[in-house]
Each structure stands twice: as structure tokens, then as C-alpha cells.
Amino acid sequence: MSAPATIVDVRGVDVELGGRRILTDVNFSVRSGDFTGLIGSNGAGKTTLLRLMLGLVQPTQGEVVWPSHAREQRRVGYVPQKVALDVDVPLRVRDFVALGDDGHRYGLRRRTPDTWRRVHDVLDAVEASDLAERRIGALSGGELQRVLMAHALVSAPELLLLDEPLANLDPGATEDIVSLLARVREREHVAILLSAHDINSLLGVMDRVVYIANAHVASGPTDEVVRPDVLSKLYGHHVDVVRVHGRFLVVTGTTSQEPVAEHPDLVVE
Amino acid sequence: MHWLFEPGIWSNAAVRTGAGVGVVVATVSALVGLFTVMRSQSFAGHALADVATAGGAGAGLFGFSPLAGFVIGSLLGAGAMEAIGVERVRQRDVATGVVLGGATGLAALFLYLITLSSSSAGSTQSILFGSLFTVSNSSFGVIAVVAAAVCLALAALGRPLLFVSVSPDAARARGVAVRRVALAYTLLMAVTVGLSAIVIGSVLSTALLIGPPAAALRLGRGLWTTLALAVALGVGAVGFGVVASYDSYYWWPSHRALPVSFCVVALVVLELVLVNVVVRTTRRRDAGARV
Amino acid sequence: MFSSFMTNAWIVGTVVALLAGATGFFVVLRGSSFAAHAIPNGAFAGAAGAALVGVTPLVGLITFAVMASVGIGASRRHRSDVATAMALVMMLALGAAFLSLSAAYEPQVEALLFGEILGVATTSIAPVVIIASLCAAALAVMYRPLLFNAAAPDLAAVRGLNPQRLEMGFMLTLALGAALTVPVVGALLTFSLTVGPPAAARLVTRRPGSALVASMVLSVITLWASIAASYQSNLPVGFFVGSLSALAYVAARVLTQWRGRRV
């Protein structure tokens, strides 16, 4: 059996935003069919890394390579953590999902029955068929998340990127989404990379981990990365990894803090 | 200094009053406008000036005091916008647009009825574009008092307003009544705009409300420096605008002076463009130095 | 009311209302009401400038409307309302300067602002229809990107949709429509039709296509009712268009609240 093809290769990437170093010398790759967890605390640079892979952030050094395609043809779906939706926008769920297929194309090509079949197919894959006729602005947070997944899947991507899909979920819901993603991976033959700040809920399904701390990244199979020596090097000081009842507990000694949101124009004295 | 101040400019009483009123209105507009820009309420700020104009036209028709007409019209407009809903940016946009559209209809009606009842030529133009040079000395006092009241109210509202404008979620978490602060500010903005629309016209009112604060926000670091910069830029534009308008009488052989509103607006826009260029080039140089 | 001298008003009014309903659907969707207000006012200044220089008004209308739309469209997303406000006041101030330098008659100014739909000349029908069709074609081409970008700008950008290019295309369409409608129906009337009926239409349906059609139909009904009322009462058309447009929105709001849920 030949080795799975590489979908995307992140090579020696540095990212600076507003003069601040966000990521340093990041190297990892995603192969077809992989389920990768991008793990790090809040503000560690996970979203920046995802946006880098999407081409929305430019690296100051290094490159992101999609070996099998030109950048314009890369097939990647993206599920953001939050999306600002206008509650009054006149769109049904199925209209919105269909826009994932043709919304970026100018002109009025007619949607064929095949398009609609595909729309209902992906809604079925994320177990949201009953939402098809609802107004997009009237969905709950959890419903919207599934619809965003369907929206990302409708163009048959090779890789699905999800930004913190497990944030703000109770343990039961977390379990549901993780197992749903595992089923989606099988059914749609799509590699999955998702960011999360807790590693444990992903242990059952995750093949590889990209661990991010202090603007640096360590990647590889879970057991090779989540170890005291690797993580201590990453954090720059001693870190303990404790395994309790099959769960990881990473003890870093310092508390991480989310940067306070600042107004772009004004520093309050 | 003769190249700048044409002979006799300060002996003209209309120019003196005009300049005085201009400075007062520019100051209060800059202070209030800083929050308008930060809160992305420029459209509402402009629309209220047009709504105030409709109120002023109504007052003219029914024989009320124009100042009351402008301010009450503007306050009613602000209330209507808030009633329609202002939670999200796009809803705010629609609310403002609907109120502006409706008020425009009323303005059309009032102006039509005024032209029927009297032959006051030039009323439309002076209501829309205003003229600093026609402000009477007696209204100066009223304007100064209202402006001072607005400044005091803004100072009282200042801290929660800044908090709500910078970070609404954090403010809500700390128990600030976000909706109420926003409503209070919108009403304050309505009074300011109503006041400035009557003395300087709706066009200039918007220019002074938005332009100087936007430029100051690009330059300033702290709140106080930004406020001071906004006031300085606003007052500067009005001062030089009045002088330029007066001087322009001598620029053409036809002796047609440029309107004050044009001169002030041109200066405000010029300030904003210059500030943007300066900030952009220095930022680029900084970025280059770092690499 | 349907006499021959009114025929032109009915024809041109219907075309303008259809266009305003269609552009308005996207204006409301994208939150571009301020630009939709500013661009016709810029066109008004252009007409004044053309009178001063002595060229045909259409040149001035198009030049200034396009200048305003480029100024607005080129601004970065952050603080685009400031750019719009500045473009608007600059255009209006230029208009004031042109008027004072050329000493135009007051009635002409009022006609440009409030419109004279009852006095539309037969010769202006063809240009109105042609430019309206051009705008409609442009909107059709941009239909899905506009919808996508309005619903979820981040996701649209991920799919490679250039938001600046789209915004510029939309603004130029607005400018073209404004340059055409301002001399016919006035800067202020177009704006009322562009916001009220579309904002009402999107509340009563959840299907994008139906909302677009409803918006156009509502806009036409508003204008027809206004022309009829204006004819009967001898009051300005602008008054009826403004108040009926606002009323349409308020009615739709009351209706949806009363039904207790959105469709």
C-alpha cells in the first residue's frame, strides 16, 4: 500500500502580525485521511495558523505548499469558530449551503438537480437534514455549527479545517461533535484538522497532533508529542505530562492568559 | 499678513459672530464626534442632520422657533432609530436609512408648503447648506449655552460611554446598562447635530462631526490627546475656512465668494487626507526599520 | 391621472422603482444605506458642476457619482462609514460652491434634490430604460457573490472572493443608477425607495429570490401609490414616497412581531 498523499505542507513558516511574532519556524504536513488536532491554549496562535493555511495570512518567512494543486485550486473547507450572520438575511439553510459551492462565482449559472442533491447529501452527512428549510438567522449555535460544516463540505474538499469546534460545548455535546466528525471523515473521505485547547476529548479519533506553545510547534503522532521532554522544550521551561485514567494532564506551571481585546484606535490611559 | 487676512476682515460683525459660532460648534462637534467615529455611527450622525433639517422646515411652516424645530426634529429622529432597533450594525444601518427616507419625505412636503406660502427665495439652499455669516448675534448666546450643556452631559456620560464603545461585552459583564448608555449618547449626538445643522447646515455639520475626530483618532494615543487634537483640527478648519471664504471674494474678477461651507469642508477633508498619508508613510517606515 | 402627459411619469417611475427595488435588496443586505444615500447626492453636485462648466448634465452626473463610489469603494472595510461621510460632504460642498459660482436658479436645485417625475420628457425614457437594464445585468452577474459576501464575508474570502472588487463593482452599479435617476426623480426620492421597501421585503420571506422579487414589487407599488396620491392632492411626490416607504417597513415589522416568529 502506498503512503497517503500529502495534502498540505507547512515549511519553516514565521508569521508576524502588527510587529508581534505569532509563529516561529512551523513545520508540519497533513496527509489525506488524517485526523489532526491542533492543540494550544487560548491566544497561542491556532487561528493564525489556520488562516495561514487558508491563505488569509501571509508568512513572513517560509511557505505553505499544496503539492497536488495550484493554490487557487486547493480544495479546502473551513468552519470558523464564529460567523457574524445577519439575523434578517433572507436565506434558507439550503440556500446558504449551496453558496458554499457556487457563491464565489460571478454570473447566474443555473443550479442543477445534482447541486441540490449534493446539498441535501452533505446536510445528511452532518445530520442536519431537518434544518434545510429554516431561516439561517434563526438557528441555534449548535445547529449553525453543523450547517457551517455542511457549507464547507459541499464543494467536496480534501481537507476540512475547523476552528475550535469544541469551544463552549458541554461534555456530552463535545462527544457528539467528535464522533460526528469521525463519521464525516469516513463518509466524505476528507482529512480533518481541528483546533482545540483541550487534547483529551480528541484522543479516541486523533491520528496526529500539532502542539503549539510559545509561538513554536511540535507535531507528530500523539504519543510522540505529548511527552515531558518534547513539551518542556516547546514551552522553554519544565512541563509535566501526567496520564490519569487514559487522559492527559499537561502541567505547565504558568497560567496562560488570553490577550485583552483592545480597540484598534485608542489606548485607554 | 495681508496675503492671508484681506483688509477689514475682523471689522465685519457678521464675520466675527460667524467665526465665534463656528468655533463653539466645531468644539462641541469634535468632542461628541469622537465617539460617533469610534462607534461607527457616522451614518446616523449625518442622517440626524437631515432629519433636523426636516424639523427646521416644519418649524418654519408652523411658526415655531427654528432652533426648537431643529433640535426636536433631530431628537425625534434619534428616538425613532432607537425604537426600530440598533443592536447590530446592519440593523442600525437599515433603521437609520428608513428614518432618513421618511424624514426626507417630510422635508419635501414642508419645503414645498413653505414655497407656496411665501416667496422666500433661497430657503432650501440656506437650510441645506447653511451660512455662518447669517447667524444673528442674539442666537449666539443660546447656542453657547446649549453647547456647554452638551459638553457637561458628555463629561458625565464619558466613562461608561468610553467603556461601552471600546468593549461592549466587557462593559455588559461589568453591569453597565449598554442599551441605556447608547441611547443617552445618541440623544446627545442628536442635540449636537440639531444645533450645528441650524447654524452651519447639514453638510458642514457632518463634516465637523466626523472629519476632525477621524483624523485625531489616527494620530492620537491617549483619550485626552485625541480629544484635544480633534478640537484643534475642527477649530482650525473653521477658522481658516472663514478666512478663505472671505478672501475668495478677491480671487476672481467676478467677485463671487466661495461658500464658507465649501472652504471648511475642503479643509476638513484635506486634514484627513494629510493625516492618513503621514500616518501611513511613518508606519511603513517603522515596519521597514524593524525588518 | 392617466392622461397622455402622465404617461411618461408612469413609465419612467416604474422602471426607476424596479431598479431601486433590485439595488435596494443588496443595499439593505450589505448594510450600504449610507453609500446609497451619498452617491446620489454626489451625482447632484455633478449636475451643478456641469451647469457651471457648461457641459451636458449627464457627464457631470456620471463623473461625480463614479468619483463618490470610487472614494467609498476604495476605503478599507474598517471605518468605511467615515470615508462615506467624507465623500458625501465633499461632494455636497463642491455642489454648493458650483451653485454659488454659477448662480443657478433655486427651482433647478430643488428639482435635482426632490425630483420632478411629473414633468419627465419623452426623450429621457430611452436612456432610463437602457441604463436601468445595464444595472440590472450587472446585479444579475454579481447576484451570488453579493449574497455570499453579505451573509458570511469571512467564508466568502476563504473561497477566493475578492471583497474589494465586489464592493467596487456594486458601488459603480449604484453610481450608474444614481446618475440616471437623479435628474428624473431626484436624489432623495431614489434613496427612500432604495431602503424602505427592500427592508420590508426581506422580513416577510426567507427565500433570497422571493425577497428580491418582493422588494421590486413593493417598490413599484409604493411609487405608483405615491404618483397617484400626489396627482390627487397636489402635494410633492417625494413626500408620499418617503412616508410610504417608511410605512412599508414599519408595517412589515409589526406584521412579523405580531405573528410572533420569523418566516
Side-chain angles (χ1 to χ4, degrees):
Chain A
M1 195 182 106
S2 63
T6 300
I7 298 174
V8 58
D9 210 1
V10 179
R11 296 177 186 163
V13 161
D14 290 2
V15 175
E16 275 182 25
L17 290 179
R20 222 185 65 169
R21 179 63 66 92
I22 310 284
L23 297 169
T24 308
D25 193 25
V26 174
N27 288 287
F28 69 92
S29 57
V30 179
R31 297 164 309 170
S32 68
D34 273 353
F35 196 120
T36 311
L38 171 60
I39 311 295
S41 55
N42 288 332
K46 297 186 300 268
T47 301
T48 305
L49 189 51
L50 290 180
R51 292 176 64 83
L52 173 85
M53 296 174 71
L54 288 165
L56 299 176
V57 170
Q58 294 309 315
T60 32
Q61 206 131 84
E63 55 181 348
V64 179
V65 183
W66 302 77
S68 51
H69 298 288
R71 205 181 76 84
E72 290 70 32
Q73 286 146 15
R74 77 211 145 105
R75 283 158 49 211
V76 53
Y78 175 54
V79 180
Q81 185 179 2
K82 314 185 236 206
V83 48
L85 276 178
D86 187 346
V87 291
D88 289 330
V89 69
L91 279 179
R92 292 164 299 179
V93 163
R94 64 196 194 97
D95 298 316
F96 179 71
V97 172
L99 284 175
D101 183 46
D102 58 15
H104 60 295
R105 293 212 188 97
Y106 288 88
L108 273 182
R109 267 198 335 180
R110 259 194 90 71
R111 286 178 181 152
T112 60
D114 279 349
T115 316
W116 290 116
R117 208 169 301 129
R118 174 76 188 142
V119 166
H120 287 291
D121 202 37
V122 287
L123 277 171
D124 188 43
V126 299
E127 292 153 26
S129 299
D130 50 326
L131 302 176
E133 300 298 321
R134 295 263 299 276
R135 188 191 270 265
I136 185 87
L139 300 179
S140 74
E143 290 168 340
L144 183 59
Q145 189 175 41
R146 283 165 193 250
V147 170
L148 286 172
M149 280 183 211
H151 171 96
L153 286 169
V154 74
S155 56
E158 300 172 292
L159 171 64
L160 186 62
L161 300 178
L162 300 100
D163 193 3
E164 293 274 3
L166 309 176
N168 311 318
L169 293 182
D170 60 61
T174 303
E175 192 72 23
D176 288 347
I177 292 290
V178 170
S179 59
L180 174 70
L181 283 171
R183 289 196 295 279
V184 164
R185 165 165 75 151
E186 293 304 318
R187 180 171 160 167
E188 297 285 327
H189 309 290
V190 62
I192 289 180
L193 186 146
L194 66 81
S195 67
H197 48 262
D198 174 41
I199 193 170
N200 288 301
S201 41
L202 296 171
L203 287 176
V205 292
M206 189 168 62
D207 309 314
R208 297 170 69 82
V209 61
V210 175
Y211 207 106
I212 177 167
N214 263 352
H216 288 76
V217 154
S219 68
T222 314
D223 287 331
E224 290 176 21
V225 172
V226 189
R227 292 192 336 205
D229 53 334
V230 176
L231 293 189
S232 295
K233 208 171 145 214
L234 197 60
Y235 277 96
H237 57 82
H238 183 72
V239 170
D240 283 319
V241 176
V242 189
R243 282 201 88 144
V244 195
H245 304 305
R247 294 172 64 86
F248 284 109
L249 192 59
V250 178
V251 187
T252 62
T254 55
T255 52
S256 62
Q257 253 186 343
E258 204 170 358
V260 179
E262 275 169 16
H263 198 276
D265 290 326
L266 193 67
V267 179
V268 183
E269 281 172 337
Chain B
M1 290 298 273
H2 272 293
W3 59 272
L4 182 57
F5 299 111
E6 289 293 339
I9 181 169
W10 298 121
S11 56
N12 186 326
V15 172
R16 275 204 311 271
T17 316
V21 168
V23 166
V24 169
V25 172
T27 306
V28 66
S29 293
L31 295 175
V32 172
L34 187 73
F35 295 96
T36 310
V37 175
M38 280 177 65
R39 299 166 58 75
S40 298
Q41 281 187 304
S42 305
F43 186 26
H46 167 73
L48 286 175
D50 280 356
V51 176
T53 306
L61 185 65
F62 298 114
F64 297 130
S65 129
L67 185 65
F70 269 82
V71 172
I72 291 172
S74 178
L75 281 172
L76 285 178
M81 288 174 196
E82 294 279 333
I84 288 179
V86 289
E87 280 286 301
R88 289 154 183 272
V89 174
R90 288 218 186 119
Q91 272 178 354
R92 227 157 55 179
D93 182 76
V94 168
T96 309
V98 167
V99 171
L100 177 57
T104 306
L106 282 180
L109 177 68
F110 294 153
L111 288 175
Y112 171 77
L113 293 176
I114 288 175
T115 47
L116 273 194
S117 61
S118 72
S119 56
S120 56
S123 59
T124 310
Q125 236 163 303
S126 78
I127 285 179
L128 279 178
F129 300 114
S131 178
L132 271 179
F133 293 155
T134 55
V135 176
S136 75
N137 224 338
S138 61
S139 50
F140 189 21
V142 183
I143 288 162
V145 169
V146 177
V150 168
C151 288
L152 281 179
L154 188 66
L157 194 63
R159 240 165 237 296
L161 179 61
L162 188 62
F163 196 10
V164 166
S165 307
V166 173
S167 169
D169 291 336
R172 194 172 286 126
R174 287 289 299 276
V176 178
V178 174
R179 269 309 289 271
R180 219 172 298 164
V181 171
L183 174 65
Y185 173 70
T186 306
L187 294 178
L188 210 55
M189 185 168 77
V191 175
T192 310
V193 167
L195 185 72
S196 67
I198 188 177
V199 271
I200 55 180
S202 65
V203 176
L204 202 43
S205 157
T206 304
L208 288 178
L209 188 74
I210 308 300
L217 276 169
R218 299 280 287 166
L219 287 175
R221 282 270 159 256
L223 176 63
W224 295 110
T225 29
T226 310
L227 280 173
L229 268 172
V231 170
L233 289 171
V235 170
V238 168
F240 284 108
V242 166
V243 172
S245 166
Y246 186 87
D247 289 0
S248 67
Y249 180 78
Y250 300 96
W251 291 352
W252 283 276
S254 64
H255 286 314
R256 282 186 182 282
L258 287 171
V260 192
S261 48
F262 170 76
C263 295
V264 176
V265 168
L267 284 171
V268 166
V269 172
L270 193 69
E271 284 174 352
L272 192 58
V273 169
L274 280 179
V275 164
N276 268 316
V277 169
V278 168
V279 169
R280 219 169 280 173
T281 42
T282 47
R283 289 230 174 116
R284 195 167 301 146
R285 204 181 308 140
D286 287 356
R290 206 175 298 114
V291 173
Chain C
M1 188 157 88
F2 300 99
S3 60
S4 59
F5 96 99
M6 288 290 287
T7 317
N8 293 349
W10 289 110
I11 296 174
V12 169
T14 307
V15 174
V16 166
L18 284 173
L19 181 62
T23 27
F25 172 73
F26 297 104
V27 164
V28 168
L29 201 65
R30 300 173 61 75
S32 309
S33 306
F34 198 9
H37 173 72
I39 290 174
N41 277 306
F44 153 76
L52 177 65
V53 185
V55 295
T56 148
L58 195 64
V59 175
L61 285 162
I62 291 185
T63 313
F64 271 61
V66 167
M67 268 164 58
S69 67
V70 168
I72 296 165
S75 69
R76 294 160 308 134
R77 251 196 120 59
H78 182 58
R79 291 289 138 73
S80 69
D81 64 327
V82 168
T84 311
M86 287 299 113
L88 169 63
V89 293
M90 194 63 232
M91 292 291 163
L92 282 176
L94 276 174
F98 293 153
L99 287 176
S100 75
L101 290 177
S102 68
Y105 293 120
E106 172 106 355
Q108 289 177 335
V109 179
E110 243 161 283
L112 281 173
L113 285 175
F114 297 107
E116 279 203 88
I117 194 167
L118 300 186
V120 176
T122 312
T123 49
S124 54
I125 293 181
V128 166
V129 173
I130 291 169
I131 299 189
S133 316
L134 277 177
C135 292
L139 289 177
V141 168
M142 294 187 288
Y143 175 70
R144 275 183 201 142
L146 283 171
L147 210 53
F148 193 11
N149 180 257
D154 296 349
L155 294 174
V158 167
R159 289 309 303 271
L161 196 61
N162 183 332
Q164 270 94 29
R165 199 180 303 162
L166 186 64
E167 174 77 0
M168 193 58 92
F170 184 58
M171 286 297 140
L172 286 174
T173 311
L174 274 182
L176 196 60
L180 153 95
T181 49
V182 163
V184 184
V185 292
L188 303 172
L189 188 146
T190 316
F191 173 72
S192 304
L193 276 182
T194 303
V195 179
R202 69 180 194 154
L203 291 178
V204 296
T205 171
R206 66 189 160 188
R207 306 167 67 125
S210 324
L212 177 58
V213 172
S215 165
M216 292 164 77
V217 169
L218 209 50
S219 172
V220 167
I221 292 175
T222 305
L223 191 69
W224 282 352
S226 301
I227 293 179
S230 169
Y231 184 84
Q232 295 295 343
S233 64
N234 257 330
L235 295 174
V237 184
F239 164 62
F240 292 106
V241 172
S243 34
L244 287 180
S245 296
L247 206 63
Y249 176 71
V250 172
R253 273 292 289 261
V254 170
L255 191 72
T256 43
Q257 305 243 308
W258 174 63
R259 268 198 280 181
R261 65 189 166 85
R262 294 175 188 286
V263 283

